[in-house]
Amino acid sequence: MATSSVSKGCFVFKPDCKKRKISVPIEDYFNKGKNASEDSKLRFETYQLIWQQMKSETERLQEELNKNLFDSLIEFLQTSHSGLRKNSKDWSCQIKLREIPTAALVLGVNVTDHDLTLRSLTEVLQNNVTPYVVSLQAKDCPDMKHFLQKLVSQLMDCKVDVQSKEKESDRVTQKNVHYSMDSLSAWYMSITQKADPKMLRRKRTTSCQCQSPPVVLILKDMESFTTKVLQDFIIISSQHLHEFPLILIFGIATSPVVIHRLLPHAVSSLLCIELFQSLSCKEHLTTVLDKLLLTTQFPFKLSEKVLQTLTNIFLYHDFSIQNFIKGLQLSLLEHFYSQPLSVLCCNLPEAKRRIRFLSANQCENIRRLPSFRRYVEKQSSEKQVALLTSDKSLKEETQSLLENLHVYHTKYFLVLRCLHHFTSSLPKYPLGRQVRELYCACLEKNVWDSEEYASVLQLLRLLAKDELMAMLQNCLKVFQSSSAKELGNTVKKIEEFLAQFQSLDETKEEEETSQSQSKELQKTDLYHLQKSLLEMKELRSTSKRRTRFEVLREQVVSFIDSLAREYLLPPDTQPLHETLYFSSAHALRQHLNAAPRVALHTALNNPYYYLKNEALRSEEGRIPHVAPDVCIAYKLHLECSRLINLADWSEAFATVVTAAEKTDANSVTSEERNEIIHARFIRAVSELELLGFIKPTKQKTDHVARLTWGGC
């Protein structure tokens, strides 16, 4: 496109919207992937269905966890606002009217989750307290002018009701606004006088019945705000509090002490601060795992290594629940993408229906599963032939095995929670304090073979009667909450144990009275006295006789041990577990654990790894001449010492580039070709310098210094 102008200039031509690059849908990756099959579309639809269910469950869970916190905040805001509207002549009330109600909301160090929590809080406050809720960040408020500008602009976007719209001439545009608390107070008074109080009551169900709702200002990252900006705003706002009812909410990531570090006493005394604590991120993680993984509601499961990878990233990097859920979504997507048999990862009736329509290739995929091969080896020779040759027999057996796998999960999670009630309160927590720690131990191997499990049994044999009864009652609630009929005998056994513990006191009193009576009768009998003395001597020489409580306690410990050995088998012992469990922890680490140095070295040293161009394939140690110039220069610089001679480097670069080129008389001359190669070399060296591999040196003018991998 040509442009003529009297003077030179820079002209910008925006591209047409139709020419923009269209992103490739995710389902196309399933159809074109390395493990593409005839049911790729069905696998993608199943992935979407399961993820939508998990996502809705996490959102519901988030609302439940934040409900108590939000209810407390709403009560505080309503009480504070009603106090601001009182016209009392009492001296204490007059002093309090000069204080800005402030909620110090401690959210924890998981900063990436704060945005979602505060966004939910904003919606709740707008629906229940006031439509005037503003959220500000420190990066948008470097000084007082920008602070007020952001505050005014967001307040003017707040609507009392969607249907109540004023004329354009009555609206105050941001260009005509003078950013000050006086103008803000005047605007607030005009808006609240025009608003219909009936509309305000309809909009807010539980708000205070007044015509002037408060203005709630949320400072998302209070620690990042400039001290002077906070001090000036608080001092000015306290002087306009009677005409501009302001309530502050400080989003704190570290500790409430930061308020007194940022604000001197003269400023902090203008705030009426109340502390609110959100749920711990570790407790939040335990609840998420309990609702998403330790349940039969969702068929998708994680292996021990994958779950350990996600929890390690959570515990040692960010404490972010949102990142953990994204990692779970990535695991789900990777499972359905890489495993063709993930089409069976759905609810049991649907899985049985899909098994009947499996193709011959899918039947062969089932026969190739390691768990299924181990299962076939344990069968009789006739059944082995039927499973390996007949697709009909294979489908029938697959339906039975998949049903057994779902029943296994039902029993597994019940016994796991029961064992957790016994181990979570023991000294030093041998199998962990959280249920996820016990779950990881059971996923890894037979938990009863570990030393920690042996120490658990030893500690259980030392518990008192009250502690054992409390644990048994918790286990009874776990089993009664489930509709599994297979564990009905377990419930009866626990009830029998509880009844026996309750009857111990009565039998103990009867035994004591009978023993005292027998002793009274045997006082004058010399023969019986000698016999009792001999029996006591034998008892002392032999082992001590156990009481009824000790015998019953040993029976309870043996019962719990038998439950664990029977139902807590690792998932990899179950046939067809590969259809439900995602076990590729290495693929997950590649996506989640960033390794820029390794990725950069791989891209420059082996460009075929990313470009997938067959011309770039080369043997170890060879440098292909068709590789990108920066790759050639990088591999040549690896062969050099700390100081690199630019002339030698340039000659080696030209040798590699012109290795397979044929000289043509009609083409460019040798001088022009050398200039082009020299320009390419200069650009490649500049790119390496930009990436931080080399730098100029003052030791020698025609040399550069190598910086990485043994450079200096």
Side-chain angles (χ1 to χ4, degrees):
M1 184 179 296
T3 303
S4 59
S5 177
V6 177
S7 60
K8 295 182 180 180
C10 180
F11 301 92
V12 178
F13 300 98
K14 295 183 178 180
D16 191 0
C17 297
K18 298 181 180 179
K19 295 181 180 180
R20 292 179 180 177
K21 185 178 180 181
I22 302 175
S23 59
V24 181
I26 303 179
E27 56 266 22
D28 290 352
Y29 289 102
F30 276 75
N31 298 328
K32 300 177 183 179
K34 58 181 180 181
N35 293 319
S37 59
E38 60 273 9
D39 54 2
S40 300
K41 184 178 180 181
L42 181 60
R43 280 191 284 139
F44 178 72
E45 293 174 353
T46 309
Y47 153 74
Q48 283 186 317
L49 177 63
I50 294 179
W51 171 242
Q52 287 301 324
Q53 294 174 353
M54 285 187 169
K55 185 179 179 181
S56 60
E57 181 68 19
T58 54
E59 292 175 353
R60 184 191 65 80
L61 185 63
Q62 186 79 26
E63 292 178 359
E64 290 181 358
L65 295 176
N66 291 332
K67 185 177 185 302
N68 295 332
L69 176 65
F70 289 172
D71 290 345
S72 302
L73 277 170
I74 290 173
E75 182 180 358
F76 167 74
L77 295 180
Q78 292 175 350
T79 306
S80 302
H81 182 62
S82 61
L84 287 175
R85 308 312 303 172
K86 290 180 181 178
N87 295 321
S88 177
K89 296 182 180 180
D90 188 10
W91 180 79
S92 60
C93 294
Q94 292 294 331
I95 293 297
K96 196 170 184 179
L97 285 176
R98 300 177 184 177
E99 297 179 351
I100 303 175
T102 305
L105 182 57
V106 182
L107 297 172
V109 295
N110 50 333
V111 182
T112 52
D113 296 339
H114 293 183
D115 192 25
L116 180 62
T117 304
L118 294 177
R119 198 182 312 131
S120 303
L121 176 62
T122 301
E123 295 177 359
V124 171
L125 295 181
Q126 287 178 343
N127 294 330
N128 297 279
V129 180
T130 173
Y132 305 113
V133 182
V134 179
S135 298
L136 297 181
Q137 288 183 323
K139 64 179 182 180
D140 300 329
C141 308
D143 50 25
M144 194 63 185
K145 177 183 177 182
H146 290 85
F147 191 101
L148 291 175
Q149 182 179 357
K150 288 290 181 181
L151 177 61
V152 171
S153 62
Q154 290 194 34
L155 274 178
M156 289 184 177
D157 292 336
C158 297
K159 303 295 181 184
V160 177
D161 193 83
V162 179
Q163 297 178 353
S164 60
K165 295 183 178 180
E166 301 178 359
K167 296 181 180 180
E168 294 293 333
S169 58
D170 296 337
R171 293 184 180 177
V172 184
T173 59
Q174 296 183 20
K175 294 181 180 179
N176 300 327
V177 174
H178 177 64
Y179 301 114
S180 65
M181 288 302 298
D182 293 332
S183 61
L184 193 58
S185 301
W187 173 85
Y188 175 79
M189 295 298 293
S190 62
I191 288 295
T192 52
Q193 289 175 1
K194 291 179 182 178
D196 187 4
K198 295 182 179 180
M199 302 302 295
L200 289 173
R201 294 190 188 100
R202 292 177 187 175
K203 182 68 178 177
R204 301 182 301 280
T205 56
T206 61
S207 63
C208 53
Q209 302 296 328
C210 59
Q211 187 174 352
S212 55
V215 176
V216 179
L217 175 59
I218 301 176
L219 304 181
K220 293 185 176 181
D221 44 351
M222 194 258 184
E223 294 95 338
S224 302
F225 275 88
T226 308
T227 305
K228 187 177 184 342
V229 173
L230 283 177
Q231 292 181 15
D232 294 345
F233 178 75
I234 291 172
I235 293 173
I236 297 173
S237 300
S238 63
Q239 298 173 359
H240 295 79
L241 198 58
H242 59 284
E243 55 190 14
F244 186 73
L246 178 67
I247 299 178
L248 297 176
I249 296 180
F250 290 158
I252 301 173
T254 53
S255 172
V257 184
V258 73
I259 298 177
H260 301 285
R261 290 178 181 174
L262 291 176
L263 304 176
H265 177 71
V267 179
S268 60
S269 60
L270 300 175
L271 303 177
C272 181
I273 304 175
E274 187 167 340
L275 183 63
F276 296 90
Q277 179 74 48
S278 65
L279 186 68
S280 171
C281 51
K282 290 185 179 180
E283 297 177 1
H284 199 162
L285 174 66
T286 301
T287 310
V288 169
L289 286 176
D290 187 42
K291 298 297 183 182
L292 296 184
L293 294 181
L294 304 182
T295 177
T296 56
Q297 181 181 359
F298 305 107
F300 175 72
K301 299 289 180 289
L302 298 178
S303 68
E304 185 271 336
K305 291 184 178 179
V306 174
L307 182 58
Q308 198 66 43
T309 300
L310 291 178
T311 52
N312 286 343
I313 293 175
F314 174 85
L315 294 174
Y316 299 113
H317 288 79
D318 52 11
F319 286 105
S320 174
I321 294 295
Q322 297 303 315
N323 290 345
F324 180 85
I325 294 174
K326 289 179 181 178
L328 183 61
Q329 181 186 9
L330 178 61
S331 303
L332 181 67
L333 180 62
E334 188 70 25
H335 176 66
F336 278 92
Y337 174 73
S338 59
Q339 176 58 264
L341 292 175
S342 60
V343 68
L344 302 179
C345 185
C346 55
N347 55 52
L348 186 58
E350 179 65 19
K352 287 184 176 181
R353 189 191 67 81
R354 293 181 181 182
I355 289 174
R356 294 197 299 267
F357 299 99
L358 287 179
S359 62
N361 292 332
Q362 291 288 58
C363 291
E364 289 300 322
N365 289 333
I366 294 177
R367 294 187 178 102
R368 294 191 191 102
L369 291 177
S371 62
F372 185 78
R373 293 173 65 181
R374 290 193 299 267
Y375 172 77
V376 171
E377 291 174 357
K378 298 178 182 178
Q379 306 303 315
S380 61
S381 58
E382 296 178 357
K383 193 171 184 179
Q384 288 181 2
V385 174
L387 292 176
L388 296 177
T389 57
S390 174
D391 289 348
K392 182 179 179 181
S393 302
L394 177 67
K395 292 178 181 179
E396 293 176 355
E397 192 68 20
T398 303
Q399 288 181 345
S400 176
L401 292 176
L402 205 59
E403 184 176 358
N404 294 339
L405 186 59
H406 283 263
V407 174
Y408 158 81
H409 281 143
T410 304
K411 299 177 181 178
Y412 184 94
F413 293 127
L414 289 176
V415 177
L416 181 74
R417 297 179 195 279
C418 178
L419 182 61
H420 174 65
H421 284 300
F422 276 88
T423 60
S424 60
S425 58
L426 294 178
K428 297 184 179 180
Y429 312 106
L431 287 177
R433 190 174 184 178
Q434 304 291 339
V435 66
R436 57 176 172 80
E437 299 174 345
L438 178 61
Y439 182 50
C440 288
C442 295
L443 286 176
E444 184 180 4
K445 59 181 180 180
N446 295 332
V447 68
W448 53 86
D449 293 336
S450 62
E451 297 179 358
E452 293 81 6
Y453 185 81
S455 63
V456 164
L457 295 183
Q458 291 179 358
L459 292 172
L460 288 177
R461 292 187 177 97
L462 301 176
L463 292 179
K465 187 188 73 171
D466 296 338
E467 295 173 328
L468 275 177
M469 289 186 65
M471 293 176 180
L472 286 173
Q473 288 173 355
N474 291 331
C475 289
L476 185 62
K477 292 179 182 178
V478 170
F479 287 115
Q480 288 178 345
S481 63
S482 175
S483 59
K485 300 179 181 179
E486 297 83 358
L487 295 173
N489 296 330
T490 304
V491 175
K492 294 180 181 179
K493 190 69 174 176
I494 294 176
E495 291 176 348
E496 291 177 2
F497 282 133
L498 289 173
Q500 291 178 10
F501 274 118
Q502 291 175 355
S503 64
L504 275 179
D505 295 334
E506 301 175 359
T507 56
K508 185 177 181 181
E509 293 177 358
E510 294 177 358
E511 288 178 356
E512 289 178 353
T513 55
S514 62
Q515 287 177 3
S516 62
Q517 291 176 359
S518 62
K519 286 180 180 179
E520 289 176 358
L521 293 173
Q522 297 174 5
K523 276 183 180 179
T524 57
D525 194 344
L526 181 61
Y527 173 75
H528 287 91
L529 180 60
Q530 291 177 349
K531 187 177 179 180
S532 61
L533 290 173
L534 290 173
E535 289 177 354
M536 291 173 61
K537 186 177 180 180
E538 290 178 359
L539 286 174
R540 289 173 182 174
S541 60
T542 58
S543 60
K544 183 181 177 182
R545 183 182 176 184
R546 294 189 300 178
T547 62
R548 286 196 59 188
F549 166 70
E550 292 174 346
V551 174
L552 188 57
R553 181 174 58 186
E554 184 64 31
Q555 292 177 0
V556 172
V557 174
S558 301
F559 172 71
I560 298 299
D561 184 29
S562 63
L563 283 180
R565 292 176 182 271
E566 183 178 358
Y567 297 111
L568 291 185
L569 293 169
D572 54 9
T573 61
Q574 305 299 314
L576 303 182
H577 73 274
E578 294 92 345
T579 59
L580 306 182
Y581 281 82
F582 174 67
S583 58
S584 181
H586 177 69
L588 194 65
R589 291 192 197 98
Q590 284 185 331
H591 293 294
L592 297 181
N593 288 349
R597 171 177 170 176
V598 177
L600 190 59
H601 175 72
T602 303
L604 295 176
N605 192 45
N606 184 19
Y608 172 78
Y609 184 83
Y610 291 106
L611 298 180
K612 302 300 180 185
N613 188 353
E614 292 297 330
L616 298 177
R617 263 189 199 276
S618 61
E619 300 177 359
E620 189 68 25
R622 289 187 67 254
I623 305 177
H625 66 281
V626 294
D629 295 340
V630 66
C631 296
I632 297 175
Y634 175 78
K635 297 190 75 172
L636 289 173
H637 112 285
L638 290 179
E639 302 174 357
C640 302
S641 58
R642 188 176 67 88
L643 294 179
I644 305 175
N645 191 327
L646 287 174
D648 297 340
W649 196 5
S650 176
E651 291 180 3
F653 180 84
T655 303
V656 173
V657 170
T658 60
E661 291 184 0
K662 297 181 179 179
T663 57
D664 190 359
N666 297 327
S667 62
V668 295
T669 61
S670 60
E671 294 182 359
E672 293 178 350
R673 185 172 68 252
N674 292 337
E675 291 179 357
I676 294 175
I677 294 174
H678 187 64
R680 291 168 57 184
F681 172 74
I682 293 175
R683 183 177 63 181
V685 171
S686 301
E687 291 175 353
L688 289 178
E689 182 180 358
L690 180 64
L691 293 173
F693 290 103
I694 59 173
K695 71 172 184 179
T697 177
K698 296 182 179 180
Q699 296 180 5
K700 296 182 179 180
T701 56
D702 57 344
H703 285 64
V704 291
R706 184 179 168 189
L707 298 178
T708 58
W709 289 285
C712 55

